[in-house]
Amino acid sequence: MSRTVAHGGTDSPAPVVSAERVRFTLPDPDHRWAGVRLEVDWVAPGARDYGFADGVWSLDFPRPAAWRIEYQLGLRGDDGEPTRTADPTNPRRVANPFGDKSEIRFPDYREPAWLPTPPRGTTRPVAIPDLLGTAVPVRLWSPLGLDDTTAAPLLVVHDGSDLADRGDILRWATAHAATDPVRVVLVDPAPGLRQDWYAATPDYADHLAGVLLPVVTAQVSCDRVVGLGASLGALALLYLHRRHPAALDALVLHSGSFFTWEFDSQESAWEPFDRICTEVARMAGPDGQRPVPVLMTCGTIEENLANNRAMAAALTAHGYPLHFVMNPDAHTVIGWRDTWFPALDDLLTGRA
């Protein structure tokens, strides 16, 4: 018999979760809504429109190939205009820049063992010369007791504040530093400039290699520099590596936006799409190689899976020591958080 989990109290019409499916319900005794739809940004295996009967909207949804899912509800009024919202029957929420999402965890999902570790260390801002027209926000985290003159690996994280806040990367770093000291550079995009800087932009890559990294490594002693990024942040790091092969000693690329004309036509209306496809094709080629160890991860139910597999195959063919992880998740911070251990630890210590 499958174990079921209700996400609310005993009287709550919360989603009921089994190993094979989810039953969603939403009471609507006054028939306020003209329609209810499960809204997701991953590849869904079944119908997503709720049915209505006896004052309740309901949907039996087959489990996708994932340990957990994030979703919203699309509530349609009589005017036909949908409103997206978190599921009011499900108390489990995940913060998201585009609005909180509700979360379902299937019975076999497990959080990383390091997650309960309280983050401990010191964080200080690093002043970077403004040569891009807008300063790059940078903060340097160090574990307690590690002085600036002691050499340690340096982990350079794109979208650093977000991966610290939502991805708990400083909890992981604290746990890792208990046996192997590591410093973390939290690199953020300036407000409104993430898509400009991270979309395989030469000026930004040159600034990282020629200004930002030298400023940081002049302040602290490091013996290895590893870059970690997700989505566009991963694209920007691989682009940096291919443009400046000596800048990074290893890469962690989560769900990289390695768009191609073949796999990603749904993104073609986005202005940088053609430039990204051109640069991805170049990065998949043989020029400018300095093979370094790479951890690549991608969710089993996300649209980027095909282009990530293609890039992984290309890098492997060019001699990169590459470990590819398909995580049973989507394009989510939690999915990325759940996959960087233990391979990231091995990259930092040189065991990979």
Side-chain angles (χ1 to χ4, degrees), residues 28-178:
D28 186 11
D30 299 325
H31 209 169
R32 176 185 177 190
W33 306 111
V36 178
R37 183 174 175 82
L38 187 72
E39 298 289 355
V40 300
D41 51 12
W42 36 268
V43 181
R48 293 188 283 128
D49 289 313
Y50 284 47
F52 185 77
D54 300 324
V56 177
W57 294 95
S58 63
L59 173 67
D60 282 312
F61 189 74
R63 175 181 178 173
W67 284 328
R68 50 176 296 282
I69 57 175
E70 298 175 13
Y71 69 99
Q72 293 175 314
L73 298 185
L75 306 178
R76 193 176 72 252
D78 291 335
D79 59 3
E81 290 297 321
T83 299
R84 280 201 176 203
T85 180
D87 186 347
T89 76
N90 184 353
R92 190 179 288 279
R93 301 288 174 87
V94 175
N96 187 281
F98 305 104
D100 285 359
K101 295 189 176 184
S102 298
E103 181 193 41
I104 297 293
R105 294 184 174 189
F106 292 98
D108 51 354
Y109 173 73
R110 299 292 182 269
E111 291 183 336
W114 54 260
L115 191 58
T117 306
R120 288 189 294 266
T122 60
T123 304
R124 69 193 198 221
V126 180
I128 305 297
D130 178 8
L131 302 181
L132 288 175
T134 304
V136 180
V138 176
R139 292 179 296 146
L140 174 64
W141 178 91
S142 298
L144 297 177
L146 182 64
D147 65 80
D148 291 350
T149 61
T150 300
L154 189 70
L155 180 65
V156 181
V157 182
H158 265 162
D159 296 306
S161 292
D162 191 38
L163 285 180
D165 294 341
R166 294 196 295 142
D168 296 300
I169 198 162
L170 297 184
R171 290 179 180 268
W172 164 83
T174 302
H176 179 85

Side-chain angles (χ1 to χ4, degrees), residues 261-301:
W261 291 285
E262 178 183 3
F263 296 127
D264 303 288
S265 60
Q266 73 279 2
E267 303 285 353
S268 60
W270 187 40
E271 188 272 332
F273 177 75
D274 284 338
R275 185 180 80 247
I276 290 175
C277 289
T278 298
E279 294 302 335
V280 165
R282 185 175 291 117
M283 289 188 285
D287 297 336
Q289 297 286 348
R290 178 203 166 209
V292 298
V294 178
L295 166 64
M296 286 187 69
T297 80
C298 198
T300 51
I301 59 172

Side-chain angles (χ1 to χ4, degrees), residues 114 153-157 163 167-170 172-173 176 180-184 224-229 250-254 293-297 323 325 336-352:
W114 54 260
L154 189 70
L155 180 65
V156 181
V157 182
L163 285 180
D168 296 300
I169 198 162
L170 297 184
W172 164 83
H176 179 85
D180 296 293
V182 61
R183 297 185 181 91
V184 181
R224 188 173 183 80
V225 182
V226 177
L228 182 150
L251 292 162
V252 180
L253 308 174
H254 294 297
V294 178
L295 166 64
M296 286 187 69
T297 80
H323 180 50
V325 177
W336 304 328
R337 177 199 76 185
D338 289 353
T339 52
W340 61 56
F341 174 85
L344 174 55
D345 300 57
D346 293 339
L347 288 179
L348 289 167
T349 57
R351 293 191 293 264

Side-chain angles (χ1 to χ4, degrees), residues 239-253:
Y239 182 72
L240 164 67
H241 162 70
R242 295 303 297 275
R243 191 171 174 87
H244 299 279
L248 300 171
D249 299 303
L251 292 162
V252 180
L253 308 174

